[in-house]
Amino acid sequence: MSRIIVVTSGKGGVGKTTTSAAMAMGFAKKGHKTAVIDFDVGLRNLDLILGCERRVVYDFVNIINGEATLNQALIKDKRCDKLFILPASQTRDKDALTLEGVGKVLNELKETFDYIICDSPAGIERGAHLAMYFADDAFIVTNPEVSSVRDSDRMLGILSSKSKRAENNETPIKEYLLLSRYNPKRVKLGEMLSVDDVQEILSLHLLGVIPESQAVLNASNSGIPVILDEASDAGQAYADIVNRYLGEDVPQRFINEEKKGLFGRLFKG
Amino acid sequence: MPKNSISSQENSAAFEFKSSIVTVPVIHLFNGDSIRFSEQLQEKVNLAPGFFKHSSVLIDLQDVEEQSIDLDAIVKIIQQASMLVIGIRSGSKEQQQAAKDLSLPLFDKHTETPVTNTTIPEAATLPTPAVCENLLITQPVRSGQRIYAKGDIIITAPVSPGAELLAEGNIHIYNVLRGRALAGVLGDESALIFCSNLQAELISIAGNYRISEDIDDTLRKSPVQIHLDQNALIIENI
């Protein structure tokens, strides 16, 4: 059974695309055939994060308009042959996407892929609505600050009322919380909301915490999904999240400040 | 939306606009033959003269839209039968104009609200249609969601900031209330709000409201019962 997963947040800049790229690569590395779709038509970014921006020929809008086939537009990742990327169009806007068109593309992908990840644009308008409409699962990416939490809450409301599953009275979309840019030190100083604060407001199942990390920025700049940086904290956090989603029992990490050992103190100052 | 509680405390107002629903007999015209209409109406009235006396009636013109009718004559016949015409429903443009000339209000086909002087209440968007009068909600009510119930609303999950609960009856929240709760939205002053953890943005009963800033700090985050006492919202610890 293939699953359609939407990565969404409401607010912009919280790490949706980073998460989409990392999770897609994580699933693919585990041997699941995975497609990741950029729904941010007009503000294409996913191709950059995955480092395939120089291989884009056709895009999502071309397929919807019947100007290209799915196979022509899907870009196979060079590092993992189970990962395929469907880029957004940079020259169009969100109105180019139609409900029927998106539904058709997703149905076609469902025939051959195990996981289809929809990277939602920010906001709650057309692009974001279409990205989540057909979803089975939702990854809600939230930063530990009030405006991001409120926007996520709004998004959760939309997921539970305006998705295909909600409209057809089917089992609701399964929602998971991914708390990104988490910094235990700043939480301790009261500059950031804690995991508990966020969960109290959102009352959502926590899939994982991604620590605030220089590795994410480095990975984005070099077009390598951060999950491939196995030495980094953010990379490990995403690997944990992939395993947790796939049903493994992995304890939560990165929630509390790591105590530096004597050696750590000596060598890292 | 809530009216200002200060102005409602002044009892000097000369009148008040209220909407209400009344049942009115409707005469469905099948053709424009005023002589036959007159005869048949008289027969009906003779069956129960007391029943029809000074009764108000509405004329439905849906079946005679294509025909030419003398509305003036029809109205006179009805008046002679000691009934009062209070308006028409449906009808062609010409028929509606004739009604206007006779100063008769025009009622909408479906809603039966006068078209000429309508203020249709703002339609609430209902995420969950109210099947029964009371509404039980076990899922969190998210920011931006609006719940409306003709009876009571009972919620066991948290209500997020930016969410709105509107009940014609009472509101019970066995969890945190961070959004807005408006009970007795159609004016029921006996409506109550119960909440096991009050952090609301706004609470209102029958249009008398209080915003978050005006809620006493000692009552915040505590279980409360809210009722209306002479246009003043009373929040009590329970």
Side-chain angles (χ1 to χ4, degrees):
Chain A
M1 251 319 268
S2 62
R3 299 290 285 181
I4 299 175
I5 303 166
V6 61
V7 179
T8 188
S9 69
K11 198 176 186 301
V14 293
K16 285 183 294 297
T17 304
T18 302
T19 299
S20 299
M23 296 299 287
M25 182 59 91
F27 289 144
K29 294 263 284 176
K30 285 257 164 189
H32 303 288
K33 199 175 174 196
T34 306
V36 56
I37 309 174
D38 191 350
F39 272 79
D40 207 347
V41 177
L43 295 165
R44 187 174 80 199
N45 276 169
L46 183 70
D47 53 328
L48 286 171
I49 307 295
L50 281 160
C52 65
E53 72 276 9
R54 292 164 66 187
R55 294 199 286 144
V56 176
V57 184
Y58 294 111
D59 56 52
F60 197 12
V61 175
N62 289 137
I63 305 176
I64 286 174
N65 293 345
E67 294 152 4
T69 66
L70 198 50
N71 284 333
Q72 284 176 305
L74 281 172
I75 304 170
K76 193 180 196 173
D77 191 85
K78 281 186 173 167
R79 294 151 296 208
C80 182
D81 62 358
K82 296 269 186 195
L83 178 62
F84 292 82
I85 299 122
L86 183 54
S89 172
Q90 182 68 355
T91 52
R92 307 292 293 272
D93 59 38
K94 270 107 187 152
D95 294 334
L97 298 176
T98 61
L99 193 67
E100 302 78 48
V102 172
K104 228 179 107 195
V105 171
L106 288 176
N107 270 334
E108 210 178 324
L109 286 170
K110 268 177 108 169
E111 286 169 17
T112 47
F113 285 89
D114 300 324
Y115 292 104
I116 300 150
I117 297 181
C118 303
D119 180 21
S120 171
I124 53 171
E125 286 80 24
R126 191 178 179 82
H129 180 241
L130 289 173
M132 69 84 184
Y133 187 75
F134 297 97
D136 301 308
D137 298 325
F139 291 169
I140 310 293
V141 184
T142 305
N143 287 170
E145 48 104 11
V146 282
S147 60
S148 174
V149 172
R150 175 172 289 189
D151 290 359
S152 293
D153 193 45
R154 178 86 170 95
M155 201 60 202
L156 285 162
I158 293 171
L159 286 173
S160 62
S161 61
K162 290 190 176 158
S163 63
K164 188 180 163 204
R165 280 172 174 266
E167 283 178 4
N168 297 344
N169 273 327
E170 293 167 39
T171 346
I173 294 177
K174 248 183 144 174
E175 299 149 346
Y176 300 91
L177 175 65
L178 275 76
L179 201 56
S180 60
R181 295 208 169 148
Y182 196 75
N183 186 336
K185 218 182 244 171
R186 294 184 62 191
V187 171
K188 219 173 176 182
L189 292 169
E191 295 172 356
M192 251 184 200
L193 297 176
S194 69
V195 176
D196 292 340
D197 292 338
V198 176
Q199 277 202 285
E200 200 193 315
I201 300 171
L202 293 180
S203 26
L204 211 59
H205 175 73
L206 180 73
L207 194 60
V209 170
I210 302 111
E212 194 172 41
S213 168
Q214 181 61 35
V216 173
L217 201 62
N218 295 345
S220 298
N221 288 338
S222 52
I224 301 163
V226 70
I227 199 167
L228 293 179
D229 185 356
E230 283 164 17
S232 71
D233 46 0
Q236 289 173 19
Y238 276 116
D240 281 5
I241 289 169
V242 167
N243 291 335
R244 240 175 249 136
Y245 176 79
L246 293 175
E248 277 179 47
D249 188 17
V250 186
Q252 293 285 354
R253 287 200 277 170
F254 311 107
I255 292 178
N256 296 314
E257 208 177 339
E258 270 177 64
K259 290 195 179 77
K260 276 183 186 165
L262 184 62
F263 278 103
R265 269 187 225 168
L266 280 177
F267 293 111
K268 288 184 184 164
Chain B
M1 288 309 290
K3 63 192 177 205
N4 196 318
S5 56
I6 296 164
S7 67
S8 65
Q9 280 167 2
E10 298 169 4
N11 289 323
S12 57
F15 70 91
E16 187 180 18
F17 267 120
K18 275 199 168 172
S19 77
S20 90
I21 296 164
V22 273
T23 313
V24 174
V26 180
I27 295 178
H28 284 262
L29 274 191
F30 295 138
N31 58 58
D33 187 342
S34 55
I35 296 163
R36 271 176 62 196
F37 173 68
S38 174
E39 288 169 3
Q40 291 178 10
L41 183 68
Q42 206 53 55
E43 277 172 33
K44 288 267 183 213
V45 171
N46 288 342
L47 290 175
F51 181 77
F52 289 102
K53 202 165 190 186
H54 305 308
S55 165
S56 49
V57 292
L58 195 69
I59 309 174
D60 191 308
L61 300 173
Q62 191 170 11
D63 295 322
V64 290
E65 269 178 8
E66 312 289 318
Q67 306 171 25
S68 72
I69 56 156
D70 185 352
L71 193 65
D72 191 22
I74 300 280
V75 169
K76 285 212 170 94
I77 291 165
I78 295 171
Q79 281 169 350
Q80 276 160 13
S82 69
M83 283 184 271
L84 286 167
V85 179
I86 59 157
I88 67 149
R89 192 164 69 173
S90 305
S92 64
K93 278 220 171 93
E94 289 78 3
Q95 290 163 352
Q96 292 180 352
Q97 186 56 47
K100 248 186 204 168
D101 294 342
L102 292 166
S103 316
L104 288 176
L106 182 62
F107 285 79
D108 200 14
K109 214 181 283 177
H110 303 293
T111 61
E112 307 197 5
T113 317
V115 174
T116 39
N117 55 344
T118 44
T119 43
I120 299 165
E122 193 187 60
T125 46
L126 308 176
T128 38
V131 183
C132 66
E133 298 264 299
N134 296 338
L135 208 57
L136 172 68
I137 291 157
T138 53
Q139 294 293 312
V141 185
R142 302 295 184 181
S143 184
Q145 284 186 317
R146 211 170 180 207
I147 309 280
Y148 190 98
K150 284 191 173 295
D152 292 2
I153 296 179
I154 303 143
I155 300 187
T156 57
V159 180
S160 294
E164 205 168 60
L165 310 173
L166 300 126
E168 291 175 19
N170 311 307
I171 297 177
H172 311 253
I173 303 149
Y174 301 104
N175 211 313
V176 197
L177 168 65
R178 296 192 179 91
R180 298 167 163 228
L182 295 89
V185 285
L186 292 189
D188 181 3
E189 297 185 347
S190 66
L192 299 171
I193 300 173
F194 301 90
C195 161
S196 57
N197 185 336
L198 180 74
Q199 300 179 33
E201 292 175 331
L202 180 143
I203 44 166
S204 162
I205 294 173
N208 301 276
Y209 69 92
R210 203 181 291 185
I211 54 170
S212 175
E213 218 174 58
D214 301 334
I215 296 172
D216 202 296
D217 275 346
T218 56
L219 296 163
R220 286 202 144 259
K221 300 191 178 179
S222 58
V224 294
Q225 173 190 328
I226 304 157
H227 69 273
L228 199 62
D229 187 12
Q230 293 179 344
N231 292 331
L233 277 181
I234 311 290
I235 308 175
E236 287 169 334
N237 261 311
I238 46 173

Coordinates of all heavy atoms in Angstrom, one line a residue, chain A residues 150 152-158 160-161 175 200-204, chain B residues 127 140-145 158 160-162 176 178 197 199 201:
Chain A
R150 N 0.8 28.6 16.2 CA -0.6 29.0 15.8 C -0.9 28.6 14.4 O -2.0 28.1 14.1 CB -0.8 30.4 16.1 CG -2.2 30.9 15.6 CD -2.6 32.3 16.0 NE -2.8 32.4 17.4 CZ -3.3 33.5 17.9 NH1 -3.6 34.5 17.2 NH2 -3.5 33.6 19.2
S152 N 0.4 26.3 12.6 CA 0.3 24.8 12.5 C -1.1 24.4 12.9 O -1.7 23.5 12.3 CB 1.3 24.1 13.3 OG 2.6 24.4 12.8
D153 N -1.5 25.0 14.0 CA -2.9 24.7 14.5 C -3.9 25.0 13.5 O -4.8 24.2 13.3 CB -3.1 25.5 15.8 CG -4.3 25.1 16.6 OD1 -4.4 23.9 16.8 OD2 -5.1 25.9 17.0
R154 N -3.8 26.1 12.8 CA -4.8 26.5 11.7 C -4.7 25.4 10.6 O -5.7 25.0 10.1 CB -4.4 27.8 11.2 CG -5.2 28.3 10.0 CD -6.5 29.0 10.6 NE -7.2 29.7 9.5 CZ -8.2 29.2 8.9 NH1 -8.6 28.0 9.1 NH2 -8.8 29.8 7.9
M155 N -3.5 25.0 10.3 CA -3.3 24.0 9.2 C -4.0 22.7 9.6 O -4.6 22.0 8.8 CB -1.8 23.8 9.0 CG -1.5 23.2 7.7 SD -2.1 24.3 6.4 CE -2.3 23.3 5.0
L156 N -3.8 22.3 10.9 CA -4.5 21.1 11.4 C -6.0 21.1 11.3 O -6.6 20.1 10.9 CB -4.1 20.8 12.9 CG -2.6 20.4 13.1 CD1 -2.2 20.6 14.5 CD2 -2.5 18.9 12.7
G157 N -6.5 22.3 11.5 CA -8.0 22.5 11.3 C -8.4 22.3 9.9 O -9.4 21.7 9.6
I158 N -7.6 22.8 9.0 CA -7.9 22.6 7.5 C -7.7 21.2 7.1 O -8.6 20.6 6.4 CB -6.9 23.5 6.7 CG1 -7.3 25.0 7.0 CG2 -7.1 23.3 5.2 CD1 -6.3 26.0 6.4
S160 N -8.3 18.6 8.9 CA -9.4 17.8 9.4 C -10.8 18.2 8.9 O -11.8 17.6 9.1 CB -9.4 17.9 11.0 OG -9.7 19.2 11.4
S161 N -10.8 19.3 8.0 CA -12.1 19.7 7.5 C -12.1 19.8 6.0 O -13.1 19.6 5.3 CB -12.6 21.0 8.1 OG -11.6 22.0 7.8
E175 N -1.9 12.6 11.7 CA -1.1 13.8 11.8 C 0.1 13.6 12.7 O 0.0 13.0 13.8 CB -1.9 15.0 12.4 CG -3.0 15.4 11.4 CD -4.3 15.9 12.2 OE1 -4.3 15.7 13.4 OE2 -5.1 16.5 11.5
E200 N 1.3 20.8 24.3 CA 0.1 21.2 25.1 C -0.9 21.9 24.2 O -2.1 21.7 24.3 CB 0.5 22.0 26.3 CG -0.5 22.1 27.4 CD -0.2 23.2 28.4 OE1 0.9 23.3 28.8 OE2 -1.2 23.9 28.8
I201 N -0.3 22.8 23.3 CA -1.2 23.6 22.5 C -1.7 22.7 21.3 O -2.9 22.7 21.0 CB -0.5 24.8 21.9 CG1 -0.1 25.7 23.1 CG2 -1.4 25.6 21.0 CD1 0.8 26.8 22.7
L202 N -0.9 21.9 20.7 CA -1.2 21.2 19.5 C -1.9 19.8 19.8 O -2.5 19.3 18.9 CB -0.1 21.1 18.5 CG 0.5 22.4 17.9 CD1 1.7 22.1 17.0 CD2 -0.6 23.1 17.1
S203 N -1.6 19.3 20.9 CA -2.0 17.9 21.3 C -1.9 17.0 20.1 O -2.9 16.5 19.6 CB -3.4 17.9 21.9 OG -4.2 18.9 21.5
L204 N -0.6 16.7 19.8 CA -0.3 16.0 18.6 C 0.8 15.0 18.9 O 1.6 15.2 19.7 CB 0.2 17.0 17.5 CG -0.1 16.7 16.1 CD1 -1.5 16.6 15.8 CD2 0.5 17.8 15.2
Chain B
P127 N -18.4 23.8 9.8 CA -17.5 22.7 9.4 C -18.1 21.3 9.7 O -17.9 20.4 9.0 CB -16.3 22.9 10.3 CG -16.7 23.9 11.3 CD -17.9 24.5 10.9
P140 N -9.7 17.9 19.0 CA -9.3 19.3 19.2 C -10.0 20.3 18.2 O -10.1 20.0 17.1 CB -7.8 19.4 19.1 CG -7.3 18.0 19.2 CD -8.5 17.1 18.8
V141 N -10.4 21.4 18.7 CA -11.0 22.5 17.8 C -9.8 23.4 17.5 O -9.3 24.1 18.4 CB -12.1 23.2 18.5 CG1 -12.8 24.2 17.4 CG2 -13.2 22.3 19.0
R142 N -9.4 23.4 16.2 CA -8.2 24.1 15.8 C -8.5 25.6 15.5 O -9.6 26.0 15.2 CB -7.6 23.4 14.5 CG -7.3 22.0 14.7 CD -6.2 21.8 15.7 NE -5.8 20.4 15.8 CZ -4.8 20.0 16.7 NH1 -4.3 20.9 17.5 NH2 -4.5 18.8 16.8
S143 N -7.4 26.3 15.5 CA -7.5 27.8 15.1 C -8.2 27.9 13.8 O -7.9 27.2 12.8 CB -6.0 28.3 15.0 OG -6.1 29.7 14.8
G144 N -9.1 28.8 13.7 CA -9.8 29.1 12.4 C -11.0 28.2 12.2 O -11.8 28.5 11.3
Q145 N -11.3 27.2 13.1 CA -12.5 26.4 13.0 C -13.6 27.1 13.7 O -13.4 27.8 14.7 CB -12.2 25.0 13.5 CG -11.4 24.2 12.6 CD -11.3 22.7 13.1 OE1 -11.1 22.5 14.2 NE2 -11.5 21.8 12.2
P158 N -9.1 20.1 23.7 CA -8.8 21.5 23.8 C -9.4 22.4 22.7 O -9.5 21.9 21.6 CB -7.3 21.5 23.8 CG -6.8 20.2 23.5 CD -7.9 19.3 23.5
S160 N -8.4 25.6 20.6 CA -7.2 26.4 20.3 C -7.5 27.9 20.2 O -8.6 28.3 19.9 CB -6.6 25.9 19.0 OG -6.1 24.7 19.2
P161 N -6.5 28.7 20.4 CA -6.7 30.2 20.1 C -7.1 30.4 18.7 O -6.5 29.7 17.8 CB -5.3 30.8 20.4 CG -4.4 29.7 20.5 CD -5.1 28.5 20.8
G162 N -8.0 31.3 18.4 CA -8.5 31.5 17.1 C -9.6 30.6 16.6 O -10.1 30.7 15.5
V176 N -9.1 22.6 28.0 CA -8.6 24.0 28.0 C -9.4 24.8 26.9 O -9.6 24.3 25.8 CB -7.1 24.2 27.6 CG1 -6.6 25.5 28.0 CG2 -6.3 23.1 28.3
R178 N -9.0 28.0 24.9 CA -8.1 29.1 24.5 C -8.7 30.0 23.4 O -8.2 31.1 23.1 CB -6.7 28.6 24.0 CG -5.9 27.8 25.0 CD -4.5 27.6 24.6 NE -3.7 26.9 25.5 CZ -3.6 25.6 25.6 NH1 -4.2 24.8 24.8 NH2 -2.9 25.0 26.6
N197 N -10.7 24.8 32.2 CA -9.4 25.6 32.2 C -9.6 26.8 31.4 O -9.6 26.7 30.1 CB -8.3 24.7 31.8 CG -6.9 25.4 31.9 OD1 -6.8 26.7 31.9 ND2 -5.9 24.7 31.9
Q199 N -8.7 30.0 29.5 CA -7.7 30.8 29.0 C -8.2 31.5 27.7 O -7.5 31.7 26.7 CB -6.4 30.0 28.6 CG -5.8 29.3 29.8 CD -4.6 28.5 29.4 OE1 -3.9 28.8 28.5 NE2 -4.4 27.3 30.0
E201 N -10.0 33.7 24.7 CA -9.8 35.0 24.0 C -11.0 35.9 24.3 O -10.9 37.1 24.4 CB -9.6 34.8 22.5 CG -8.4 34.2 22.1 CD -8.4 33.9 20.6 OE1 -9.4 33.8 20.0 OE2 -7.3 33.9 20.1

